[in-house]
Amino acid sequence: MREITYSEALREAIRSAMAKDDKVIMIGEEIGQGYAGVFGVSKGLYDEFGPKRIIDTPIAENSIMGAAIGASLLGFKPIVEVMFADFIAVCFDGILNQAAKVRFMSNGQYSLNLVVRLPGGEGSGTGPHHSQCLESLFMAIPGLKIANPSNPYDAKGLMSSAIYANDPVLFFEHKKLYKTKGDVPQEDYAIPFGKAGIARAGKDITIVAHSYMVSVALAAADELYEKHNIDAEVIDPKTLVPLDMQTIAESVKKTSRLAVVEETYLRAGVGSEIGSIVSERYMDWLDCPIKKIASRNVPIPMPASLVGEVIPDKKRVVKEIREMF
Amino acid sequence: MREITYSEALREAIRSAMAKDDKVIMIGEEIGQGYAGVFGVSKGLYDEFGPKRIIDTPIAENSIMGAAIGASLLGFKPIVEVMFADFIAVCFDGILNQAAKVRFMSNGQYSLNLVVRLPGGEGSGTGPHHSQCLESLFMAIPGLKIANPSNPYDAKGLMSSAIYANDPVLFFEHKKLYKTKGDVPQEDYAIPFGKAGIARAGKDITIVAHSYMVSVALAAADELYEKHNIDAEVIDPKTLVPLDMQTIAESVKKTSRLAVVEETYLRAGVGSEIGSIVSERYMDWLDCPIKKIASRNVPIPMPASLVGEVIPDKKRVVKEIREMF
Amino acid sequence: MDYDQNLYLTFLEKMYLIRRFEQKVYEFAERGLVFGSTHLEVGEEATAVGTLLNIKRSDYMIATHRGHGQELLKGTDVNAMMAEMIGKATGICGGRVGSMHVTDASVNNLGAQGIIGASFPISVGVGLALNLLGQKDKILISFFGDGATNQGNFYESLNMADIWKVPVFFVCVNNLYGMGTAYCSTCNIEIYKKATFFNIKSDYCDGNDVAAVYNKSKEIIDYVRTKRLPALLELKTYRTIGHSAFDKHPYRTKEEIEDWKKKDPIKRTEDILLKNGTPKEKIDKLKKRIDTTVDDAAAFAAQSPYPVYDDSLEQ
Amino acid sequence: MDYDQNLYLTFLEKMYLIRRFEQKVYEFAERGLVFGSTHLEVGEEATAVGTLLNIKRSDYMIATHRGHGQELLKGTDVNAMMAEMIGKATGICGGRVGSMHVTDASVNNLGAQGIIGASFPISVGVGLALNLLGQKDKILISFFGDGATNQGNFYESLNMADIWKVPVFFVCVNNLYGMGTAYCSTCNIEIYKKATFFNIKSDYCDGNDVAAVYNKSKEIIDYVRTKRLPALLELKTYRTIGHSAFDKHPYRTKEEIEDWKKKDPIKRTEDILLKNGTPKEKIDKLKKRIDTTVDDAAAFAAQSPYPVYDDSLEQ
Ligand SMILES: Cc1ncc(C[n+]2csc(CCOP(=O)(O)OP(=O)(O)O)c2C)c(N)n1
Ligand SMILES: Cc1ncc(C[n+]2csc(CCOP(=O)(O)OP(=O)(O)O)c2C)c(N)n1
Ligand SMILES: [Mg+2]
Ligand SMILES: [Mg+2]
């Protein structure tokens, strides 16, 4: 099959939706005439769809979010690019108090098709204001969906679903993934929300990882298998909200061991949520305590010497998982 | 001992610190000449300390937070009142990207004494924009401390510590607690962060609850004891960050059962964090799965008929805990 | 404009409807039936009536937390409004959200925000959407208070409104205070001037003179509708009651309040009608009719059931 | 002002220091030693130099993401600056945060924000603190770009600065673009005018004319310092390089860039010195000295160790 990058896959989903449905628009800083997106996702779209569909804005995140919410109330399907996920803090009220609550507060009179693209994660020294993985925070806000593709195939399929999700979707992308390549069909397809994937089948331990950490978990799984005779199953939830606990549970039932690997922070992270659900519902299936392998509770530093200690890497994952046997 | 309300206890701590240290100031909307705080916490302080120490502002949460951060950088110890915790969304960038990161980013050259008072929780129909318990979100942000007093005694003692915490403190208060009374010594005292309290000793199950939910848990514990022969131990963490896992663990070791009761949301809530830590470290001590009893993942409605189903009450706590035996 | 008895009767009818509606809400609140707080606009009724009589049902609206009049005038059913006030299942939002957050898609009321300032960026977005749709007629009317204009969002959105040329009619109900804080203590600039900074057509008028509000709005709405450009109107008025139902408003002097009570827009309109020969009986009959409407709505609301929780609410 | 050779030599020395410093940063970046992105200010050096030569070490400063010049001029040690650029433990922030976030408490540099607009409210807070302290001398100089003035925070903070009367000197380095976006496409108002809306003293000048910047700043800083009131100065300039180190800046025309290169502030200053009789050798010597300073700093940085993680960083 044809190989394309994660950026290209995202663009393909957006382009196709825009071509078919003139209610699909993009709003953000530097997405059109300037940079065509800092990570190049909207490359070429301005030329194709023009300034009415690819809408450049001033540096004013509140207005970007407001523009998207307002347009969505009138039936548009805006895709917002927040240049770096960290900047969502500037328009957080739009997320927490407006977008997430429209459906409930209007008693279903309005619901929003609204994708908020959030390039997150550390990318070779992007530092404390341009590296954060914030998805765990948003899991605690009812009314939002959260997608987090780990590869080009999922990026395209999840984006296609997100545009029509009928609820605001926080679409967490990852800097280290944009240039990675993978097989992606030319034709349109949608990946349903709430259905996890098995990135690697195995029988000895279940590792749940999302976004960029899927590749770290897979690399660790290879080493665990080759050097330490541990056959790990790697589950990629694809969407954190809704979360496919069934697939995770089935895997844990088989392996009797659970580790969660994430770039979000250890405290109140994704591992906390998944770990607690497993201990609530499936405790009897576990042969050993669960393990949360996450970023340490430190703002993300710039130099590699510190980043390597803060964010989980293959070495740490291998070490921590070996301790479970 | 003398009984005073939670509001009065907060005021006593603030008043005393202000009298002793002229770097302690208050900043917020309607805290001085207008309402003296919507919940009356700053009553009388404007008359006593004047407009230079009790600083009224326009409706401009970003400036309130910025004023506090800036003043704190110059050695002041500001106490911010965000009128309702929900409004922190408007100045979230100040919390996430500035206040929380100052110590780390400056390499310890600056650290902030900064208390952000956050009246949270549902209060007889305050509805989706004035009722949220957001503390679980903030647990995932390194660099912040989180205090959550459940009674007047703790309110005074934790506030005294918070003002000198040398890191930003999100001080979550609760609307339903302001008028509750309790024994509070006249003299100054400080309650250390990171030391949980045992609100009720018991041997059959550990219930962790914070803020207003401590009283709900205590009421449930009484009924469990009287009607169902279950002797619950109720632990009040007092601060969610730092979190006193040791006290919780010792209790679980004794009781072999754990439930977490909270007004924050079920998904990615406090129970997720505590539950996952217990299953990571103390799984062998548990006789049955942990239980998370939290607000359902729904924006907070207005009418009691819906609120009663969304937020845990005594009846639900009793029912859910009985199911654990 | 020539004097038009029918128009003045409409002014009176609509303002009186708001007044009576809110009196009933206050009664409900006194009886403990209103959940949370409710913000009444007693004394400010001319602002909603004068503006919205020029607005079509197909136009969009964003109301404020003090929005009962705006919502009623946009066309929401009185019964469904009243039921919402006391959180009943027959309320316009199923009773979920109460007084502060009325949304009514059937009349293009997009919803009121409890977060002061949040409506500005959304208004720009609605205007953007109208532009993208190629709309040549519909506009948005977006209400806000004086206090809200200190939020950074306000200025940011005015700039966006200017550069994107959105057909939004920004209406400031300037009642001189935001809660207990006088506007003049928070900003040294008159509100209508703030829009002129951004090259936006802007004006002000006496918000207690319903005819003045009506005429000024008519002109500005015509401008927004035909030119497809933003505009702002500041209406100077006063709430003669507290910020929320049981606020004793100690931050204002008795004299100030009494002065403003003399400028009551309903009383003023009645006086004009009487002076121009409308028989008192006609006015009494009109009021009677409204009284009945409101009483019926109150009875409807009182008899309606509370909403029932169901798991599908979980998100 | 009369021509003063020593002053011009100082202008040259400081601007050349910034230029050389950033050339070295660029070299490091090319070699992959700079973590993340770095924003150079080639062409804009007169803005930092002209303003900060009038600022005392005891004054406070908030710099921008494009702040190397501001930080060096405020007095931070060149070695510690350079080491921070490549994330070394000897850096001014222990190498933790790199180019974009320099803080130096020893010279009252309060730190630069990576979040555009975040510095405005903090600046108001610093000004408030200076007022509360009863300071009669110290002020804050707060830098920002043209693009930042579209954030709502900017306007909100100007209003606060006005009503609280804070001793803050707001300096806008208007390089015509925010990343790839021309300011004129985002706002129809000139930046210095925005402050006049809020009754704040405001002015602008040619940001590539270091003497003009120096003189205008001197006057305004004197005003802020003695009157204890806010003021704003807009400096019109241009970065002749990309937004960040490897940005190929396709959003600007070659002609525009070449035009501005002709206005290079360093070249202009050198020409004035030469024209007024300063021997070329004197200038060369001065440059040589700076070259050595910067080379030494680069060597120091290169030889320094990377920071080591320790558990006490956890929060
Ligand atoms: C972001 C935010 N800050 C503060 C409040 C609390 N609050 C509710 S109404 C109000 C006053 C608003 O004043 P104004 O805009 O003049 O409207 P008015 O109430 O006078 O009609 C305030 C401060 C809020 N709801 N949201
Ligand atoms: C809140 C926020 N939005 C967007 C960005 C991305 N960004 C970094 S620099 C920049 C341009 C800033 O323009 P300006 O203020 O003119 O400063 P300049 O870079 O031209 O010096 C942008 C948009 C950011 N860092 N923070
Ligand atoms: Mg008002
Ligand atoms: Mg610029």
Side-chain angles (χ1 to χ4, degrees), chain A residues 30 35 61 129 297 302 305, chain D residues 96 114 151 181 247 307 315:
Chain A
E30 303 289 334
Y35 280 57
E61 281 76 10
H129 283 162
N297 301 315
M302 281 234 167
S305 67
Chain D
R96 289 181 182 180
Q151 289 281 26
T181 303
D247 163 20
Q315 292 185 299

Side-chain angles (χ1 to χ4, degrees), chain B residues 29 59 61 83 87 90 130, chain C residues 65-66 114-116 145-148 151 175 177-179 243:
Chain B
E29 296 164 11
I59 307 171
E61 281 76 11
M83 193 183 289
F87 308 161
V90 179
H130 293 75
Chain C
H65 60 288
R66 195 180 303 287
I115 308 294
I116 299 295
D146 48 293
Q151 288 281 27
N175 57 13
Y177 290 84
M179 297 188 68
H243 164 71

